[in-house]
Amino acid sequence: MNENDPNDLNAPVPFMQELLDNPFLLLFLGVMIPMVVYSLWGVIDILTIPVAK
Amino acid sequence: MSTTYRTCPRSGLQFELQAERLMLANAVAAVVFLLVGGILAVGVVLTRWPAVHWLSADAFYMVLTAHGIDMLIFWIIFFEMAVLYFCSSTLLRCRIATPRMAWLGFALMLIGAVTNNIAVFRGSSSVMMTSYVPMMAEPAFYLGLILFAVGALIGCFVFLGTLVVAKREKTYQGSIPLVTFGAVTATIIAVFTITSGAIILIPTFLMSVGIVKEVDPLVYRTIWWAFGHSSQQINVAAHISIWYAIAAICFGAKPMSERVSRGAFLLYILFLQLASAHHLLADPGMSTEWKVVNTSYFMYFAVLASMIHGLTIPGAIEVAQREKGYTKGLFEWLRKAPWGNPVFSGMFISLIGFGFLGGISGVMMGTEQLNMLIHNTIYVPGHFHATVVVGTTLSFMALTYFLIPVLFKREMINPGLAKLQPYMFGLSMYFFCLVMMGAGTLGVARRHWDMTMGGSPLAYEFPGAAYLMMGLVGIAGIAAILGGAIYIYITVGSLLWGKKLEPGVQTTQTIPLPKTPMPNVVIQSHGSSGFAAPGTFALAMVFLVSFVLYYFINWKYLSQVWGLS
Amino acid sequence: MSAILPPAERLWWKHPLDRVEGTWIVIAFVWCMIMFAMMVGWHIYGKQNLSTETYKTTPELFGKKAQDVVDKYTVRKETDREIPVVHPPPGSDVYLVARLWDWWPIIELEKDQTYKLHLTSMDYNHGFSLQPVNINIQVVPGYEHVIKMTPNQAGTFSIVCNEFCGIGHANMAGRIYVK
């Protein structure tokens, strides 16, 4: 049986497969990333707009 | 709570009683809002058709507001709730978690939707779906949306809870099915979407009742679009899951590779929501870095994911067809597909239209500089009718034709008409989107009552071609509305008058999914050495060439306009 | 097995890719990177990039600045509403007010000269849609957007409002002349 046999019963589950099998971890990532990259960064951009003279 | 399970004799799927009732209720509510939205669409297209110009300005803006909200939010999210319960309870053969909470969610959604509609039809909330502050609607408008959002959020958590129950009660082994994983993706995007909606609509509601003094217009636009655009990304994840499901149902197609398809969904989870920035590319205030990173879904990773799904779904169908012996040439597998089955034809018309019309135009508009040529022109509704109507709505219609015997337990009335419906609806929508985008390229504005600008002395005289395009929008729109009416007739008619079908064996215990057999040698032979779906690959290359050409044509046009810096 | 059943293999992540998929992923990835490079590259080499220069403002403040420019550079009045036509010197600041339901004043520019166009709305959101060039910019109340603009063709151009702003929205028009 070769090392990469997908049906090996003893081999450990690959990390990526474990991640994809964990909906709550994915939920955390899927909410945090846009909250930070889109919403938070966007609001910071707006709040740092200077006042017109 | 004790419950029963029914195994459908036509599909082999097992439905739990509570989940089945919830799916039915949500699907019926969805179709009712589609009906309302469809009737409103008549008012919209007949007013924008310049030769008809039917409604008065205030009626038009009211009808357009209601059409947008009923279609983009209520029809689609009610249907998505049914899809979520199907993908969790039915596909995992599991009882639904906390059915009482699920019913509470449904009730809130329904109350919210009706409240919002009443507010709009009272006439003082014609603020469009986007309701940009400081233009204000009446408080019930926002309250209805907030109630609806809370109800939908409850539905999302019932879905996630059902996954937990299924895992704990071991109703399946290994990983969840790919289609359920797609539903997880949709749910995650929904949680972000609804949270954003709450963050911005609650202060706006408080502003409408006078408690909060001001909501900043630019902050409103930013957070509102995290709700407004992401809600359409829920649809993308949902209808792509449905495409996978229909490929499995009609052909027994298995994903070419679980890793690739799930990896593509993961890219959606991480990056798809960033595209809310598409709506703020022409705005003041946001930095270029913010615009570039967000509008490109972090370097186009979600576009990559869509291009992957666009290959793997027809690819899986091709592999399944070739295994059945349709191996002649590049396209025998496609020619011999069941084009008379509306479940398949609807799905395939949806997939092609979503990719070629919705996908390419979407990337175009989402390019920071090219967006200036398109922002707020009628090109934008042209694009999103290709994604949300051709993509999502048509997929939901195709799935309904499968669900009528399976979930509704009725024989479909008038199957001949059903055979025709996806073509009539889908192809007229193709044309509708194309001419709308054409009119947008000529500068016609969206959400605009009168192209002649009421004879204002400074009015812009649109070229004759623009009037022609808008006339064609009217004609194609009416054809599509008729196609939609056929869908509603078949669905509601089957539900009311269709011959009742055998519900199947009832049990009090769930029958877990049998352990799937070890794959045989044939399946494993799709390895890195094969080229299992050459026809699909050829189609994908046609897509790529159209994409590249159209993309650079737009840059060429942009390079000729006024300098801006 | 099929997409509506759990994966057949315990370690499906290890299932080898078909060459169709592998090839397409590479092609699609390269195309995505090209598109990203185009968008970034146009900021460096392109001549049409939307400025991000923005200030928080108020209708009073902006209205006063716009009025000053109108007082200084009005060359004539047009239409029976006597809308001033402003002809500012090349390179100077030009103010355009969006309000319910007009664009004020009328602006006259010179071809191939660069101007700093200041845009804001006095009330609701409006949409600056320059026709037939088809350049479209969102106008948000409370924010003064400063855009360097270089007309490259002469003629009469219209400004259509393409953001819904109430019942008179469809009649909201403005004008820019380029000589």
Side-chain angles (χ1 to χ4, degrees), chain B residues 48-77:
Chain B
R48 293 235 54 174
W49 183 346
V52 181
H53 206 240
W54 181 37
L55 296 174
S56 66
D58 54 350
F60 171 74
Y61 292 127
M62 179 181 80
V63 162
L64 185 55
T65 303
H67 170 71
I69 296 176
D70 284 345
M71 293 302 215
L72 284 169
I73 310 240
F74 301 150
W75 139 250
I76 279 173
I77 294 188

Side-chain angles (χ1 to χ4, degrees), chain C:
Chain C
M1 283 290 279
S2 91
I4 56 172
L5 294 172
E9 296 155 319
R10 190 178 85 90
L11 305 176
W12 46 263
W13 185 262
K14 291 187 175 177
H15 188 100
L17 256 62
D18 185 87
R19 204 187 282 160
V20 167
E21 284 184 305
T23 314
W24 179 246
I25 291 171
V26 171
I27 293 172
F29 180 77
V30 169
W31 173 236
C32 289
M33 292 306 115
I34 291 173
M35 290 195 295
F36 190 72
M38 268 310 284
M39 190 160 61
V40 175
W42 200 264
H43 276 284
I44 305 165
Y45 302 107
K47 292 198 167 54
Q48 292 83 13
N49 289 290
L50 187 62
S51 143
T52 56
E53 188 179 346
T54 305
Y55 303 95
K56 279 191 80 74
T57 190
T58 59
E60 297 73 37
L61 185 62
F62 191 90
K64 195 182 156 299
K65 289 195 283 188
Q67 189 64 53
D68 286 348
V69 172
V70 168
D71 291 346
K72 236 157 130 187
Y73 300 119
T74 296
V75 288
R76 60 178 185 277
K77 298 198 169 174
E78 282 193 3
T79 78
D80 47 9
R81 287 172 52 215
E82 300 279 295
I83 305 170
V85 179
V86 176
H87 187 119
S92 68
D93 295 87
V94 189
Y95 289 81
L96 182 64
V97 173
R99 62 188 180 199
L100 303 174
W101 284 284
D102 57 18
W103 299 94
W104 183 90
I106 295 172
I107 298 169
E108 194 170 87
L109 306 175
E110 288 166 33
K111 184 170 172 261
D112 295 325
Q113 298 291 338
T114 302
Y115 300 84
K116 283 173 90 176
L117 177 69
H118 296 239
L119 266 176
T120 199
S121 160
M122 301 310 227
D123 31 63
Y124 297 155
N125 273 265
H126 293 287
F128 172 92
S129 179
L130 184 71
Q131 298 301 341
V133 187
N134 210 6
I135 291 173
N136 303 280
I137 299 165
Q138 186 79 22
V139 186
V140 182
Y143 293 93
E144 177 176 346
H145 196 179
V146 188
I147 302 151
K148 281 204 205 105
M149 206 170 241
T150 317
N152 61 359
Q153 59 204 129
T156 301
F157 299 90
S158 292
I159 310 167
V160 177
C161 178
N162 68 3
E163 181 59 79
F164 174 67
C165 56
I167 194 71
H169 163 56
N171 301 344
M172 180 168 164
R175 182 163 292 176
I176 295 181
Y177 294 107
V178 180
K179 298 225 155 147

